[in-house]
Amino acid sequence: MHVLVAFGTRPEIIKLGPVCTALAQAGVDLDVFWSEQHVELAAGLLDFFGIRVTHNGSQILGELGLAGKFSLICGQVEKLLRAKHYDWIVVQGDTATAAAAATAGFMSRVPVAHVEAGLRTGDLQSPWPEEFNRRLIGRASTLHFTATLQGSENLLREGVPSDRIFMVGNTVIDALFYARANMSCDYTPIDPEVAALPADRKLVLATLHRRESIGAPLRNVLRALRTLGQDGDKLIVLPVHLNPQVRVEVLRYLEHAPNVRLLAPLQYPDFVYLLSRAWTVVTDSGGIQEEAPTFGLQILITRETTERPEVVSAGFGTLVGSNSKAIIEGVRRLTAGNEPQYRKAPNPFGSGDSSTRIAAHLTCVTSQTRPFLAA
Ligand code: UDP
């Protein structure tokens, strides 16, 4: 059985790393296409997960807009699909790479399997353009691997037949388990600045990168973080995303702020290490909403909507938007007292076996589903 896995960005590599391992263990002939949509942010990740990329994308992606990236990647993937027979192309999430690769699969009549299917906010502008990408991938896909019941229900509502939907949990949890198994208890961070972070302060980890937050919403969040730094008992640690529009604002508000450490984007094991040390997280990231419950962390989500409502309903997350007051009050509440307020409840996004379940479904389902694949 021949499978092409396609990815481009940091979160896709993290979430597909364990899937690549599981497919290889299931005896699949695996090819891997990396569009290089993220290069710096992906540092160390391929080695960490032992992924062997067989086909690299173009180096000029950075100069292109979203539509340009989409068309370039779509063409590159189509070329691969024409050169060799594949039983499946596997994509993850909602990036330009995932949408372009899924489109290439659909157009080439190679069945598409979508990992982390069914996420929806219902608002095409938020997150932008990811909500559009997800819906496009949903239409192009033959199999939909959802993380939660909500994801499956979203797809059923859109008319996807139930026998094409498999609820398997989120592979990000598999990645976390893999990371923890490969990091010793006395882990030494790769980044010396992480290693040098003082241990006597309440660590508030923050990440901000969403395109739709840039402008006034991002500035409100940054003001809140600056105020929290003035409390003195906390240390705000923010690995700064490479998006220049985010970077310029972060530096403007926080470069000289007391008790705020701005770091370069962290290699994944360092980030996992900081999650294990954090008292709380302020984030607009999708993946971090899924990871935080594994650490018992209660987090503040700086978005108006989330396509992961389970993080809120399970008591791990609060949507605070860009409301500075809500962020300040929320962080102060979660860092009051002498111990972090861990929530002891199962992670609603999975239990670490999603990738093996995906590999099992893909390898068994092929022969059974041949008739409708050909339709
Ligand atoms: N992450 C990382 N280093 C960092 C920040 C995040 O390795 O400095 C990881 C984090 O563990 C998570 C993923 O990157 O798995 C989230 O990526 P991001 O927030 O960029 O994307 P999203 O999940 O919102 O699509």
Side-chain angles (χ1 to χ4, degrees):
M1 180 176 171
H2 308 289
V3 174
L4 178 67
V5 171
F7 54 63
T9 64
R10 172 174 69 189
E12 288 167 276
I13 303 175
I14 293 170
K15 290 175 172 177
L16 285 174
V19 176
C20 289
T21 304
L23 286 170
Q25 282 169 353
V28 164
D29 168 44
L30 185 67
D31 284 341
V32 176
F33 169 79
W34 177 32
S35 71
E36 303 193 7
Q37 195 178 334
H38 283 169
V39 177
E40 293 96 328
L41 287 182
L45 270 181
L46 297 169
D47 285 345
F48 185 72
F49 286 106
I51 303 173
R52 196 174 65 83
V53 172
T54 50
H55 304 283
N56 286 75
S58 165
Q59 304 287 330
I60 57 159
L61 276 178
E63 297 161 19
L64 296 170
L66 284 173
K69 280 180 192 163
F70 182 96
S71 86
L72 183 70
I73 296 166
C74 195
Q76 290 172 350
V77 174
E78 182 184 45
K79 215 166 146 192
L80 298 178
L81 299 179
R82 287 166 73 111
K84 175 172 170 182
H85 165 79
Y86 288 102
D87 297 286
W88 291 99
I89 174 165
V90 178
V91 302
Q92 191 282 331
D94 48 26
T95 65
T97 299
T103 303
F106 182 80
M107 297 291 180
S108 311
R109 291 201 174 276
V110 176
V112 179
H114 186 202
V115 176
E116 198 182 73
L119 295 192
R120 299 288 185 270
T121 59
D123 178 358
L124 267 181
Q125 302 304 322
S126 174
W128 181 89
E130 288 84 0
E131 179 78 0
F132 170 78
N133 289 342
R134 303 170 174 148
R135 294 195 206 180
L136 180 67
I137 299 166
R139 298 310 303 219
S141 296
T142 295
L143 286 187
H144 309 256
F145 292 111
T146 62
T148 64
L149 188 61
Q150 175 86 48
S152 302
E153 285 174 352
N154 289 340
L155 292 172
L156 289 170
R157 259 196 304 277
E158 291 175 14
V160 177
S162 59
D163 61 353
R164 296 188 186 197
I165 303 170
F166 295 102
M167 191 180 105
V168 294
N170 198 305
T171 59
V172 78
I173 312 303
D174 310 16
L176 272 186
F177 281 26
Y178 175 81
R180 287 210 294 198
N182 284 279
M183 291 163 64
S184 59
C185 302
D186 56 353
Y187 174 74
T188 308
I190 302 161
D191 184 335
E193 288 202 61
V194 175
L197 290 174
D200 60 347
R201 234 81 61 76
K202 299 170 181 176
L203 197 149
V204 178
L205 184 57
T207 78
L208 302 162
H209 76 91
R210 301 232 69 90
R211 290 188 188 86
E212 69 274 9
S213 308
I214 292 168
L218 176 63
R219 290 197 283 271
N220 284 344
V221 177
L222 295 172
R223 272 191 214 103
L225 295 177
R226 191 171 59 189
T227 302
L228 288 163
Q230 287 160 3
D231 287 354
D233 61 338
K234 303 179 228 334
L235 184 67
I236 319 297
V237 176
L238 173 57
V240 186
H241 200 271
L242 295 175
N243 181 329
Q245 287 171 288
V246 173
R247 227 184 142 66
V248 75
E249 294 286 11
V250 169
L251 293 179
R252 183 176 301 154
Y253 280 84
L254 297 179
E255 193 171 11
H256 304 294
N259 300 312
V260 176
R261 294 289 158 83
L262 302 181
L263 305 177
L266 298 177
Q267 294 212 25
Y268 178 62
D270 277 4
F271 193 79
V272 172
Y273 166 75
L274 282 189
L275 280 174
S276 75
R277 277 190 50 187
W279 285 51
T280 183
V281 181
V282 177
T283 190
D284 59 11
S285 161
I288 297 165
Q289 291 177 53
E290 296 152 350
E291 292 168 334
T294 294
F295 297 89
L297 285 168
Q298 298 181 61
I299 67 170
L300 302 174
I301 304 159
T302 57
R303 292 175 51 177
E304 303 302 330
T305 52
T306 178
E307 57 289 87
R308 295 159 172 93
E310 301 84 356
V311 69
V312 177
S313 57
F316 288 103
T318 309
L319 277 176
V320 288
S322 56
N323 181 332
S324 305
K325 192 163 170 270
I327 297 167
I328 294 166
E329 284 176 3
V331 170
R332 286 185 178 153
R333 177 174 49 82
L334 292 168
T335 51
N338 298 324
E339 295 293 331
Q341 298 166 32
Y342 294 126
R343 182 171 168 73
K344 294 192 184 73
N347 186 329
F349 297 104
S351 49
D353 60 357
S354 309
S355 305
T356 46
R357 291 168 70 186
I358 289 169
H361 282 302
L362 273 185
T363 44
C364 321
V365 104
T366 305
S367 54
Q368 295 161 20
T369 53
R370 273 280 171 248
F372 73 65
L373 293 180

